[in-house]
Every structure is written in C-alpha cells, then in structure tokens.
Amino acid sequence: MSVIGLHHVQLAIPPGVDDELRAFYGGLLGLTEIPKPPELAKRGGMWFRGPAVELHLGVEDPHVPARKAHPGLLVEDVDALAVRLCEAGLDVRPDDLLPGFRRCYVDDPAGNRLELLEPPPPAP
C-alpha cells in the first residue's frame, strides 16, 4: 500500500468572505468553482478546481490563517500572474531560493499564504 496522489488541499477561511475568495480564486487565479455535495455545502465554504489541482475552502470560526503551511500551485507564467495580482492590490513577494523555479508568494483574502511556482522549461 502506498500514497498514489493528492486529491485536494483544504484551507480554512473565516465566514463572510465568499465574494472576495471567489474573485481571487476564480477571477485572478482562473480556477473553476465546483459544487460541493449537498451535505457538505451546509457547512459553508467552497471548492475550486483547475488542471491537476483541487482546493477546498472550509469555514473555520474563529479563523487562523495559514501563514507558514501553504499549497504550492504550479502556474504557466508566474511573472504575468504576479503583475495581475499586484494590479488587484495584493502584496506579491518574489522569491528566487528554489533553483530552477520562478516563484512568488501571495496571501488570499482570508490571509492564507500561497506559493505560486513556474516550473523550469522541459529539457531539449
């Protein structure tokens, strides 16, 4: 028996920020909101999906944002995404400490830290 993959990552969110989170995850990051199963929808929160990634946002009250623990999301053009996030008024923090990757950090509207990484180009 072994782990065969990652199904999703869940981040905690406070109540009352659904619109801001939809604008961030759906609008700025380009993920698609997917419906939660009816019994789980009663708990609040929302789920998002993109190619090879699923993020679940679950309501936690009181809420404590994830400041160190974070998902690392692979993106196609980290520089263009960083510009879009900055233009939306977000604090984007570049980082060049991971060899081979272009990356930055940004906080979602709930204060959760996200790492955005552009993988190195494929070898010829």
Side-chain angles (χ1 to χ4, degrees):
M1 297 182 69
S2 64
V3 175
I4 61 169
L6 179 66
H7 182 269
H8 70 273
V9 172
Q10 177 154 326
L11 295 171
I13 61 169
V17 295
D18 292 7
D19 291 342
E20 294 92 334
L21 291 165
R22 284 187 172 97
F24 179 81
Y25 286 100
L28 293 171
L29 296 187
L31 298 172
T32 301
E33 185 172 358
I34 57 174
K36 293 177 68 172
E39 283 302 310
L40 297 177
K42 293 176 185 178
R43 301 178 185 173
M46 61 205 74
W47 292 358
F48 290 91
R49 182 180 290 153
V53 64
E54 193 164 308
L55 291 174
H56 295 183
L57 306 178
V59 175
E60 181 178 66
D61 192 14
H63 173 253
V64 177
R67 305 299 306 145
K68 182 69 175 175
H70 62 275
L73 303 175
L74 293 174
V75 301
E76 291 178 330
D77 186 343
V78 73
D79 294 326
L81 182 54
V83 167
R84 185 165 63 226
L85 294 168
C86 285
E87 288 173 349
L90 297 166
D91 177 31
V92 176
R93 301 171 303 278
D95 181 291
D96 62 1
L97 298 177
L98 184 60
F101 286 83
R102 298 185 52 72
R103 71 181 183 162
C104 65
Y105 293 93
V106 67
D107 299 335
D108 74 6
N112 295 306
R113 178 183 184 198
L114 302 177
E115 181 178 352
L116 306 173
L117 304 102
E118 182 178 339

